[in-house]
Amino acid sequence: AVGHQLQSVGLPVHDVEASVGGDTLGWHFSELDPSVCLSQKRLWRYRFAVKELISRGRCSGRLLEKVVGHLTFASLLRREFLSVFDKVYEFIRCHYHDVAKLWDSVVKELRWAIALLPFLRRDLSADWSGEVFATDASRWGRRVTVTDRPIDHVRAIGCVNDRWRLDNTYAGKFAKPRAGM
């Protein structure tokens, strides 16, 4: 019924399989409590891939970027996980097109990342918080700002799916034309 309701308002959905808990798309949904973590298969894949990269001791920034991309997927559960990477990003920029020896600082950050993987978990029953963070990064630095907002406002904004910005199907329904366009 939920799938039909979503389709009736123009949202595409896949076939629905109902179960309590289980693994799907690299995630493990607990059958005991409302939480999600990496599936054991995905966790070990990431771990072995990073350990292999470290054992080789050399790679291009482009290859390291692919590995970090997978770890970024894992960080969807806990965004702060990405804070372990600093020199990794610098290595990617410096050696994007050439193979180079992994810096000791890069190896250290990669080891931290795989050590933290088992702790990436999200409580799906967590309450909304009135404390709102906004983050951004550039080649010149990273910034975080925080403010307090009424929980009702946070919940309303948090429930908005803004994927329409990336899909022309919804552009005419929601997008406001910019000045000069």
Side-chain angles (χ1 to χ4, degrees), residues 105-153:
S105 56
V106 169
V107 171
K108 181 173 29 172
E109 290 175 6
L110 291 171
R111 286 189 175 135
W112 287 344
I114 61 174
L116 289 170
L117 287 175
F119 299 106
L120 299 181
R121 176 176 303 275
R122 177 58 63 189
D123 178 357
L124 299 174
S125 68
D127 290 331
W128 289 95
S129 171
E131 190 175 28
V132 179
F133 292 82
T135 62
D136 203 359
S138 71
R139 291 184 179 176
W140 302 277
R142 295 170 289 282
R143 293 292 178 260
V144 177
T145 185
V146 63
T147 187
D148 290 312
R149 293 288 183 250
I151 290 177
D152 290 343
H153 294 169

Side-chain angles (χ1 to χ4, degrees), residues 7 9 23 26 31 38 40 64 72 85-86 100 107 122 127 137 143-144 175:
Q7 287 176 333
V9 294
D23 292 354
E31 50 282 335
L38 290 174
Q40 289 296 308
L64 184 55
T72 300
F85 300 126
D86 179 35
V107 171
R122 177 58 63 189
D127 290 331
R143 293 292 178 260
V144 177

